[in-house]
Amino acid sequence: MRKESIIRIGLLNAIVALLSLSLIACSSDKAGSSKASAGSYSGSVYTVKRGDTLYRISRMTGSSVGTLARMNGISAPYTLEVGQKIRVKSSSGSSSSKKTAVAKSSKTRSSAGTSVAKVAPPPVGSKCWRWPTTGKIIEPFSNSEGGNKGIDIAGSRGQPIYASAAGTVVYVGDQLRGYGNLVMIKHSEDYITAYAHNDTTLVNNGQKVSAGQKIATMGSTGSNTVNLHFQIRYRATAIDPQRYLPPQGSKPSC
């Protein structure tokens, strides 16, 4: 799949970083789908099985998504084929030794095997956010390992989904299992928001959107229930949306 020419390299990097860093909160298990059996792994070669993703392989081998993509000549969105052979270590050392070195560093290893510096959450009110939709919070944010890295908002099919702030659409697609139709918006060098399980999407990659603009409708793609899974990322780190959003039903004061 070719990259859209209208998207700058910086925006593509933002997409890859977000996909590799965290969009695992709304996993296939949470969506009610069963996990596929792991592919075979022998020495420096991994054989792709049904349901595998480059992210999942990076988790099992300790190599980052970016490293695996470069070593195997795989371009975003990193589509794999059953039976495909993936090299999982380079001549500079085994994936296990790299993983150990990262674990001993002063940085936090992300879920994709890359390292990102720890960042303090931004102060409340540092950016103006709007609710992307209205409804009951059926699953709140959790900062624990494997926890929900966003909030899940229940609603009805076709309910409008709005951009939480002005920005540029950096991803529209359904390549991530468990997220269905997904939209991601970059708001600055520091912030990205994600909107998952959409029934329909109304924006395109590279499109500028304003705060409160309708970008999608609520659905159940990648989920067993109609809901919106919403994330706010600050410097690639998930933050609790409810800390930064105004009271539901009210307009932001900023």
Side-chain angles (χ1 to χ4, degrees), residues 107-195:
K107 297 180 179 180
T108 299
R109 191 172 70 86
S110 75
S111 58
T114 57
S115 295
V116 294
K118 293 181 179 179
V119 297
V124 174
S126 58
K127 186 170 180 61
C128 188
W129 299 105
R130 298 169 180 248
W131 278 85
T133 194
T134 57
K136 180 182 178 181
I137 305 299
I138 55 176
E139 186 167 351
F141 176 88
S142 171
N143 206 30
S144 62
E145 184 176 356
N148 191 31
K149 297 306 181 233
I151 56 175
D152 295 354
I153 308 171
S156 58
R157 190 175 305 279
Q159 182 172 318
I161 305 297
Y162 304 103
S164 191
T168 303
V169 178
V170 292
Y171 181 85
V172 177
D174 60 357
Q175 298 296 317
L176 288 179
R177 291 187 62 195
Y179 294 89
N181 295 325
L182 174 67
V183 174
M184 291 193 292
I185 300 174
K186 182 177 181 180
H187 305 284
S188 67
E189 292 304 315
D190 290 333
Y191 291 99
I192 293 178
T193 53
Y195 312 75

Coordinates of all heavy atoms in Angstrom, one line a residue, residues 107-195:
K107 N 15.3 4.8 30.4 CA 14.1 5.1 29.7 C 13.1 4.0 29.9 O 13.4 2.9 30.3 CB 14.4 5.3 28.2 CG 15.3 6.5 27.9 CD 15.6 6.6 26.5 CE 16.5 7.8 26.1 NZ 16.7 7.9 24.7
T108 N 11.8 4.3 29.5 CA 10.7 3.3 29.5 C 10.6 2.7 28.2 O 10.4 3.4 27.2 CB 9.4 4.0 29.9 OG1 9.6 4.5 31.2 CG2 8.3 3.0 30.0
R109 N 10.6 1.4 28.1 CA 10.5 0.7 26.8 C 9.0 0.7 26.4 O 8.2 0.3 27.2 CB 11.0 -0.7 26.8 CG 11.1 -1.4 25.4 CD 11.8 -2.7 25.5 NE 11.0 -3.7 26.2 CZ 10.0 -4.4 25.6 NH1 9.8 -4.3 24.3 NH2 9.3 -5.3 26.3
S110 N 8.7 1.1 25.2 CA 7.3 1.1 24.8 C 6.9 -0.3 24.4 O 7.7 -1.2 24.3 CB 7.1 2.1 23.6 OG 7.7 1.5 22.5
S111 N 5.6 -0.4 24.2 CA 5.0 -1.7 23.9 C 5.5 -2.2 22.5 O 5.5 -3.4 22.2 CB 3.5 -1.7 23.8 OG 3.1 -0.7 22.9
A112 N 6.1 -1.3 21.7 CA 6.6 -1.8 20.4 C 8.0 -2.1 20.4 O 8.6 -2.5 19.4 CB 6.4 -0.6 19.4
G113 N 8.7 -2.0 21.6 CA 10.1 -2.3 21.7 C 11.0 -1.1 21.5 O 12.2 -1.2 21.6
T114 N 10.4 0.1 21.2 CA 11.2 1.3 21.1 C 11.3 2.0 22.5 O 10.6 1.7 23.4 CB 10.6 2.3 20.1 OG1 9.3 2.6 20.5 CG2 10.6 1.7 18.7
S115 N 12.3 2.9 22.6 CA 12.4 3.6 23.9 C 12.0 5.0 23.8 O 12.4 5.7 22.9 CB 13.9 3.5 24.3 OG 14.3 2.2 24.6
V116 N 11.2 5.4 24.8 CA 10.8 6.8 24.8 C 11.1 7.4 26.2 O 10.9 6.6 27.2 CB 9.3 7.0 24.5 CG1 9.1 6.6 23.1 CG2 8.5 6.2 25.4
A117 N 11.5 8.6 26.3 CA 11.8 9.2 27.6 C 10.5 9.4 28.4 O 9.5 9.6 27.8 CB 12.5 10.5 27.4
K118 N 10.6 9.2 29.7 CA 9.4 9.4 30.5 C 9.0 10.9 30.5 O 9.9 11.8 30.5 CB 9.7 9.0 32.0 CG 9.9 7.5 32.1 CD 10.1 7.2 33.6 CE 10.3 5.7 33.8 NZ 10.5 5.4 35.2
V119 N 7.8 11.2 30.4 CA 7.3 12.6 30.4 C 6.3 12.8 31.4 O 5.4 11.9 31.7 CB 6.7 12.9 29.0 CG1 7.8 12.8 27.9 CG2 5.6 12.1 28.6
A120 N 6.3 14.0 32.0 CA 5.3 14.3 33.0 C 4.0 14.7 32.3 O 4.1 15.4 31.2 CB 5.8 15.5 33.9
P121 N 2.9 14.4 32.8 CA 1.6 14.8 32.1 C 1.5 16.3 32.1 O 2.0 17.0 33.0 CB 0.5 14.2 33.0 CG 1.2 14.0 34.3 CD 2.6 13.7 34.0
P122 N 0.9 16.9 31.0 CA 0.7 18.3 31.0 C -0.2 18.8 32.0 O -1.1 18.1 32.5 CB 0.2 18.5 29.6 CG -0.6 17.3 29.3 CD 0.2 16.2 29.9
P123 N -0.1 20.1 32.4 CA -1.1 20.6 33.4 C -2.5 20.7 32.8 O -2.6 21.0 31.6 CB -0.5 22.0 33.8 CG 0.4 22.4 32.6 CD 0.9 21.1 32.1
V124 N -3.5 20.5 33.7 CA -4.8 20.7 33.2 C -5.1 22.1 32.8 O -4.6 23.1 33.4 CB -5.8 20.3 34.4 CG1 -7.2 20.6 34.0 CG2 -5.6 18.9 34.8
G125 N -5.7 22.3 31.6 CA -6.0 23.6 31.1 C -4.9 24.1 30.1 O -5.0 25.2 29.6
S126 N -3.8 23.3 29.9 CA -2.8 23.7 29.0 C -3.2 23.7 27.6 O -2.6 24.3 26.7 CB -1.5 22.9 29.2 OG -1.8 21.5 29.0
K127 N -4.2 22.9 27.3 CA -4.8 22.9 25.9 C -6.3 22.7 26.0 O -6.8 22.1 26.9 CB -4.2 21.7 25.1 CG -4.7 21.7 23.7 CD -3.9 20.7 22.8 CE -4.4 20.7 21.4 NZ -4.2 22.0 20.7
C128 N -7.0 23.3 25.1 CA -8.5 23.3 25.1 C -9.0 22.1 24.4 O -8.7 21.9 23.2 CB -9.0 24.6 24.4 SG -10.7 24.9 24.5
W129 N -9.7 21.2 25.1 CA -10.3 20.0 24.5 C -11.9 20.1 24.6 O -12.4 20.6 25.5 CB -9.8 18.8 25.2 CG -8.4 18.6 25.2 CD1 -7.5 18.8 26.2 CD2 -7.6 18.1 24.1 NE1 -6.2 18.5 25.8 CE2 -6.3 18.0 24.5 CE3 -7.9 17.7 22.8 CZ2 -5.2 17.6 23.7 CZ3 -6.9 17.3 22.0 CH2 -5.6 17.2 22.4
R130 N -12.5 19.4 23.6 CA -13.9 19.3 23.6 C -14.3 17.8 23.6 O -13.5 17.0 23.2 CB -14.5 19.8 22.3 CG -14.3 21.3 22.1 CD -14.7 21.7 20.6 NE -14.5 23.1 20.4 CZ -15.5 24.0 20.2 NH1 -16.8 23.5 20.2 NH2 -15.3 25.3 20.0
W131 N -15.4 17.4 24.2 CA -15.8 16.0 24.1 C -16.1 15.6 22.7 O -16.7 16.3 21.9 CB -17.1 15.8 24.9 CG -16.9 15.7 26.4 CD1 -16.7 16.8 27.3 CD2 -16.7 14.5 27.2 NE1 -16.4 16.3 28.6 CE2 -16.4 14.9 28.5 CE3 -16.7 13.2 26.8 CZ2 -16.2 14.0 29.5 CZ3 -16.4 12.2 27.8 CH2 -16.2 12.6 29.1
P132 N -15.5 14.4 22.3 CA -15.7 14.0 20.9 C -17.1 13.5 20.7 O -17.5 13.4 19.5 CB -14.7 12.8 20.8 CG -14.6 12.3 22.2 CD -14.7 13.5 23.1
T133 N -17.9 13.1 21.7 CA -19.3 12.7 21.6 C -19.8 12.7 23.1 O -19.1 13.0 24.0 CB -19.4 11.3 21.0 OG1 -20.8 11.1 20.6 CG2 -18.9 10.2 21.9
T134 N -21.1 12.4 23.2 CA -21.7 12.3 24.5 C -22.2 10.9 24.8 O -22.5 10.2 23.9 CB -22.9 13.3 24.6 OG1 -23.9 12.9 23.6 CG2 -22.5 14.7 24.4
G135 N -22.2 10.5 26.1 CA -22.6 9.2 26.4 C -22.0 8.8 27.7 O -21.1 9.4 28.3
K136 N -22.4 7.6 28.2 CA -21.9 7.1 29.5 C -20.5 6.5 29.3 O -20.2 5.8 28.3 CB -22.8 6.0 30.0 CG -22.4 5.3 31.3 CD -23.3 4.2 31.7 CE -22.9 3.5 32.9 NZ -23.8 2.4 33.3
I137 N -19.6 6.8 30.2 CA -18.3 6.2 30.2 C -18.4 4.7 30.6 O -18.7 4.5 31.8 CB -17.3 6.9 31.1 CG1 -17.2 8.4 30.7 CG2 -15.9 6.3 31.0 CD1 -16.8 8.7 29.3
I138 N -18.2 3.8 29.7 CA -18.4 2.4 30.1 C -17.0 1.7 30.5 O -17.0 0.7 31.1 CB -19.0 1.6 28.9 CG1 -18.2 1.7 27.6 CG2 -20.5 2.0 28.8 CD1 -18.8 0.9 26.5
E139 N -15.9 2.4 30.1 CA -14.6 1.9 30.6 C -13.7 3.1 30.7 O -13.4 3.8 29.7 CB -14.0 0.8 29.8 CG -12.7 0.3 30.3 CD -12.2 -1.0 29.7 OE1 -13.0 -1.6 28.9 OE2 -11.1 -1.4 30.0
P140 N -13.2 3.4 31.9 CA -12.4 4.6 32.1 C -10.9 4.3 31.8 O -10.5 3.2 31.5 CB -12.5 4.9 33.6 CG -12.7 3.5 34.2 CD -13.6 2.8 33.2
F141 N -10.1 5.4 31.8 CA -8.7 5.3 31.5 C -8.0 4.5 32.7 O -8.4 4.6 33.8 CB -8.1 6.7 31.5 CG -6.6 6.7 31.3 CD1 -6.0 6.7 30.1 CD2 -5.8 6.8 32.4 CE1 -4.7 6.8 29.9 CE2 -4.4 6.9 32.3 CZ -3.9 6.9 31.1
S142 N -7.0 3.7 32.3 CA -6.2 3.0 33.3 C -4.7 3.1 32.9 O -4.4 2.9 31.8 CB -6.6 1.5 33.4 OG -5.7 0.8 34.2
N143 N -3.9 3.5 33.9 CA -2.5 3.7 33.7 C -1.7 2.4 34.0 O -0.5 2.4 33.8 CB -2.0 4.9 34.5 CG -0.7 5.5 33.9 OD1 -0.6 5.5 32.7 ND2 0.2 6.0 34.7
S144 N -2.4 1.4 34.4 CA -1.7 0.1 34.7 C -1.3 -0.6 33.4 O -1.8 -0.3 32.3 CB -2.6 -0.8 35.5 OG -3.8 -1.1 34.7
E145 N -0.3 -1.4 33.5 CA 0.2 -2.2 32.4 C -0.9 -3.0 31.8 O -1.6 -3.8 32.5 CB 1.4 -3.1 32.7 CG 2.0 -3.8 31.5 CD 3.2 -4.6 31.9 OE1 3.6 -4.5 33.1 OE2 3.7 -5.3 31.1
G146 N -1.2 -2.8 30.5 CA -2.3 -3.5 29.8 C -3.6 -2.9 30.0 O -4.6 -3.4 29.6
G147 N -3.7 -1.8 30.8 CA -4.9 -1.1 31.0 C -5.4 -0.3 29.8 O -4.8 -0.2 28.8
N148 N -6.6 0.2 30.0 CA -7.3 1.0 28.9 C -6.6 2.3 28.8 O -6.7 3.1 29.7 CB -8.8 1.1 29.2 CG -9.6 1.6 28.0 OD1 -9.2 1.4 26.9 ND2 -10.6 2.4 28.3
K149 N -6.0 2.6 27.7 CA -5.2 3.8 27.5 C -6.1 5.0 26.9 O -5.6 5.9 26.3 CB -4.0 3.6 26.6 CG -3.0 2.6 27.3 CD -2.6 3.1 28.7 CE -1.6 2.1 29.3 NZ -2.0 1.6 30.6
G150 N -7.4 4.9 27.2 CA -8.3 5.9 26.7 C -9.6 5.8 27.5 O -9.6 5.1 28.6
I151 N -10.7 6.3 27.0 CA -12.0 6.1 27.6 C -12.9 5.5 26.5 O -12.8 5.8 25.4 CB -12.6 7.4 28.2 CG1 -12.6 8.5 27.1 CG2 -11.7 7.8 29.4 CD1 -13.3 9.8 27.6
D152 N -13.8 4.7 27.0 CA -14.8 4.1 26.1 C -16.2 4.8 26.4 O -16.7 4.7 27.5 CB -14.9 2.6 26.2 CG -13.6 1.9 25.8 OD1 -12.7 2.6 25.3 OD2 -13.5 0.7 26.0
I153 N -16.8 5.4 25.4 CA -18.0 6.1 25.5 C -19.1 5.4 24.8 O -19.1 5.2 23.6 CB -17.9 7.5 25.0 CG1 -16.7 8.2 25.6 CG2 -19.2 8.3 25.3 CD1 -16.3 9.6 25.0
A154 N -20.2 5.0 25.5 CA -21.3 4.3 24.9 C -22.2 5.3 24.2 O -22.3 6.5 24.5 CB -22.1 3.5 25.9
G155 N -22.9 4.8 23.2 CA -23.9 5.6 22.4 C -24.7 4.8 21.5 O -24.8 3.6 21.6
S156 N -25.2 5.5 20.5 CA -26.1 4.8 19.5 C -25.4 4.8 18.1 O -24.6 5.7 17.8 CB -27.5 5.4 19.4 OG -27.3 6.8 19.1
R157 N -25.7 3.8 17.3 CA -25.1 3.7 16.0 C -25.4 5.0 15.2 O -26.6 5.4 15.1 CB -25.5 2.5 15.3 CG -24.8 2.2 14.0 CD -25.2 0.9 13.4 NE -25.1 -0.2 14.3 CZ -23.9 -0.9 14.6 NH1 -22.8 -0.5 13.9 NH2 -23.9 -1.8 15.4
G158 N -24.4 5.6 14.5 CA -24.7 6.7 13.7 C -24.5 8.0 14.5 O -24.6 9.1 13.9
Q159 N -24.3 8.0 15.8 CA -24.1 9.2 16.6 C -22.9 9.9 16.1 O -21.9 9.3 15.9 CB -24.0 8.7 18.1 CG -23.9 9.9 19.1 CD -23.9 9.4 20.5 OE1 -24.8 8.5 20.8 NE2 -23.1 9.9 21.3
P160 N -23.0 11.2 16.1 CA -21.8 12.0 15.6 C -20.6 11.9 16.5 O -20.7 11.9 17.7 CB -22.3 13.5 15.5 CG -23.8 13.3 15.5 CD -24.1 12.1 16.3
I161 N -19.4 11.9 15.8 CA -18.1 11.9 16.5 C -17.4 13.2 16.0 O -17.4 13.4 14.8 CB -17.2 10.7 16.2 CG1 -18.0 9.4 16.5 CG2 -15.9 10.8 16.9 CD1 -18.3 9.2 17.9
Y162 N -16.9 14.0 16.9 CA -16.4 15.3 16.6 C -14.9 15.3 17.0 O -14.4 14.7 17.9 CB -17.1 16.4 17.4 CG -18.6 16.4 17.2 CD1 -19.4 15.9 18.2 CD2 -19.1 17.0 16.0 CE1 -20.8 16.0 18.0 CE2 -20.5 17.0 15.8 CZ -21.3 16.5 16.8 OH -22.7 16.5 16.6
A163 N -14.1 16.2 16.2 CA -12.7 16.4 16.5 C -12.7 17.1 17.9 O -13.3 18.1 18.1 CB -12.1 17.2 15.4
S164 N -11.8 16.6 18.8 CA -11.7 17.2 20.1 C -11.0 18.5 20.1 O -11.1 19.3 21.1 CB -11.0 16.2 21.0 OG -11.1 16.6 22.4
A165 N -10.2 18.7 19.1 CA -9.5 20.0 18.9 C -9.1 20.1 17.4 O -9.2 19.2 16.7 CB -8.2 20.0 19.8
A166 N -8.7 21.3 17.0 CA -8.3 21.5 15.6 C -7.0 20.8 15.4 O -6.1 20.6 16.3 CB -8.1 23.0 15.4
G167 N -6.8 20.3 14.1 CA -5.6 19.6 13.8 C -5.6 19.1 12.4 O -6.4 19.5 11.5
T168 N -4.7 18.1 12.1 CA -4.6 17.5 10.8 C -4.8 16.0 11.0 O -4.2 15.4 11.8 CB -3.2 17.8 10.2 OG1 -3.0 19.2 10.1 CG2 -3.1 17.2 8.8
V169 N -5.6 15.4 10.1 CA -5.9 14.0 10.1 C -4.6 13.3 9.6 O -4.1 13.6 8.5 CB -7.1 13.6 9.2 CG1 -7.3 12.1 9.2 CG2 -8.3 14.3 9.7
V170 N -4.1 12.4 10.4 CA -2.9 11.7 10.1 C -3.1 10.2 9.8 O -2.2 9.5 9.4 CB -1.8 11.9 11.1 CG1 -1.3 13.3 11.2 CG2 -2.2 11.4 12.5
Y171 N -4.3 9.7 10.1 CA -4.5 8.3 9.8 C -6.0 8.1 9.7 O -6.8 8.5 10.6 CB -4.0 7.4 10.9 CG -4.2 5.9 10.6 CD1 -3.4 5.2 9.8 CD2 -5.4 5.3 11.2 CE1 -3.7 3.8 9.5 CE2 -5.6 3.9 10.9 CZ -4.8 3.2 10.1 OH -5.0 1.9 9.8
V172 N -6.4 7.4 8.7 CA -7.8 6.9 8.5 C -7.7 5.5 7.9 O -7.1 5.3 6.9 CB -8.6 7.8 7.5 CG1 -10.0 7.2 7.3 CG2 -8.7 9.2 8.0
G173 N -8.2 4.5 8.7 CA -8.1 3.1 8.2 C -8.6 2.1 9.2 O -9.1 2.5 10.3
D174 N -8.4 0.9 8.8 CA -8.8 -0.2 9.7 C -7.8 -1.3 9.8 O -8.1 -2.5 9.9 CB -10.1 -0.8 9.2 CG -10.0 -1.4 7.7 OD1 -8.9 -1.3 7.1 OD2 -11.0 -2.0 7.2
Q175 N -6.5 -0.9 9.8 CA -5.4 -1.8 9.8 C -5.1 -2.4 11.1 O -4.4 -3.4 11.2 CB -4.1 -1.2 9.2 CG -4.2 -0.7 7.8 CD -4.4 -1.9 6.8 OE1 -3.8 -2.9 6.9 NE2 -5.3 -1.7 5.8
L176 N -5.6 -1.8 12.2 CA -5.3 -2.3 13.5 C -6.4 -3.2 14.1 O -7.5 -2.7 14.2 CB -5.1 -1.1 14.5 CG -3.8 -0.3 14.3 CD1 -3.7 0.8 15.3 CD2 -2.6 -1.3 14.5
R177 N -6.1 -4.4 14.3 CA -7.2 -5.3 14.8 C -7.7 -4.8 16.1 O -6.9 -4.4 17.0 CB -6.6 -6.8 15.0 CG -6.3 -7.4 13.6 CD -5.9 -8.9 13.9 NE -6.9 -9.6 14.5 CZ -6.8 -10.8 15.1 NH1 -5.6 -11.3 15.2 NH2 -7.8 -11.4 15.6
G178 N -9.0 -4.9 16.3 CA -9.6 -4.5 17.6 C -10.0 -3.1 17.6 O -10.7 -2.7 18.6
Y179 N -9.7 -2.3 16.6 CA -10.0 -0.9 16.6 C -11.0 -0.5 15.5 O -11.6 0.6 15.5 CB -8.8 0.0 16.5 CG -7.9 -0.1 17.6 CD1 -6.9 -1.1 17.7 CD2 -8.1 0.7 18.7 CE1 -6.1 -1.2 18.8 CE2 -7.3 0.6 19.9 CZ -6.3 -0.4 19.9 OH -5.5 -0.5 21.0
G180 N -11.3 -1.4 14.6 CA -12.2 -1.1 13.5 C -11.8 0.1 12.7 O -10.6 0.3 12.5
N181 N -12.8 0.9 12.3 CA -12.5 2.1 11.5 C -11.9 3.2 12.5 O -12.6 3.6 13.5 CB -13.7 2.6 10.9 CG -14.2 1.7 9.8 OD1 -13.5 1.0 9.1 ND2 -15.5 1.6 9.7
L182 N -10.7 3.6 12.2 CA -9.9 4.4 13.2 C -9.5 5.7 12.5 O -9.1 5.8 11.4 CB -8.7 3.7 13.6 CG -7.7 4.4 14.5 CD1 -8.3 4.7 15.9 CD2 -6.4 3.6 14.7
V183 N -9.7 6.8 13.3 CA -9.2 8.1 12.8 C -8.2 8.7 13.9 O -8.5 8.5 15.1 CB -10.4 9.1 12.7 CG1 -9.9 10.5 12.4 CG2 -11.3 8.7 11.6
M184 N -7.1 9.2 13.4 CA -6.2 9.9 14.3 C -5.9 11.3 13.8 O -5.8 11.5 12.6 CB -4.9 9.1 14.4 CG -5.1 7.8 15.1 SD -3.5 7.0 15.6 CE -2.9 6.6 14.0
I185 N -5.8 12.2 14.8 CA -5.6 13.6 14.4 C -4.4 14.1 15.2 O -4.3 13.9 16.4 CB -6.9 14.5 14.8 CG1 -8.1 14.0 14.0 CG2 -6.6 15.9 14.5 CD1 -9.4 14.7 14.4
K186 N -3.5 14.8 14.5 CA -2.4 15.4 15.1 C -2.7 16.9 15.4 O -3.1 17.6 14.4 CB -1.1 15.3 14.2 CG 0.1 15.9 14.9 CD 1.3 15.7 14.0 CE 2.6 16.3 14.6 NZ 3.8 16.1 13.7
H187 N -2.6 17.3 16.6 CA -2.9 18.7 17.0 C -1.7 19.6 17.1 O -1.9 20.8 17.0 CB -3.7 18.7 18.3 CG -4.9 17.8 18.2 ND1 -6.1 18.1 17.6 CD2 -5.1 16.5 18.7 CE1 -7.0 17.1 17.7 NE2 -6.4 16.1 18.3
S188 N -0.6 19.1 17.4 CA 0.7 19.8 17.5 C 1.8 18.8 17.5 O 1.5 17.6 17.4 CB 0.7 20.7 18.8 OG 0.7 19.8 19.9
E189 N 3.0 19.3 17.8 CA 4.1 18.3 17.9 C 3.9 17.5 19.2 O 4.6 16.4 19.3 CB 5.4 19.1 18.0 CG 5.8 19.7 16.7 CD 5.8 18.7 15.5 OE1 6.4 17.6 15.7 OE2 5.3 19.1 14.4
D190 N 3.1 17.9 20.1 CA 2.9 17.2 21.4 C 1.7 16.3 21.5 O 1.7 15.3 22.2 CB 2.9 18.2 22.5 CG 4.2 18.9 22.8 OD1 5.3 18.3 22.5 OD2 4.2 20.0 23.3
Y191 N 0.6 16.6 20.7 CA -0.6 16.0 21.0 C -1.2 15.2 19.7 O -1.1 15.8 18.6 CB -1.7 17.0 21.4 CG -1.5 17.6 22.8 CD1 -0.9 18.8 22.9 CD2 -1.9 16.9 23.9 CE1 -0.7 19.4 24.2 CE2 -1.7 17.4 25.2 CZ -1.2 18.7 25.3 OH -1.0 19.2 26.5
I192 N -1.7 14.0 20.0 CA -2.5 13.3 19.0 C -3.7 12.7 19.6 O -3.6 12.2 20.8 CB -1.6 12.2 18.3 CG1 -0.5 12.7 17.5 CG2 -2.5 11.3 17.4 CD1 0.4 11.7 16.9
T193 N -4.8 12.7 19.0 CA -6.0 12.0 19.5 C -6.4 10.9 18.6 O -6.1 10.9 17.4 CB -7.2 13.0 19.6 OG1 -7.4 13.7 18.4 CG2 -7.0 14.0 20.8
A194 N -7.1 9.9 19.1 CA -7.5 8.7 18.3 C -9.0 8.4 18.6 O -9.4 8.6 19.8 CB -6.6 7.5 18.7
Y195 N -9.7 8.0 17.6 CA -11.1 7.8 17.6 C -11.4 6.4 16.9 O -11.2 6.3 15.7 CB -11.9 8.9 16.9 CG -11.5 10.3 17.3 CD1 -10.2 10.8 16.8 CD2 -12.2 11.1 18.1 CE1 -9.8 12.1 17.1 CE2 -11.8 12.4 18.4 CZ -10.6 12.9 17.9 OH -10.2 14.2 18.2

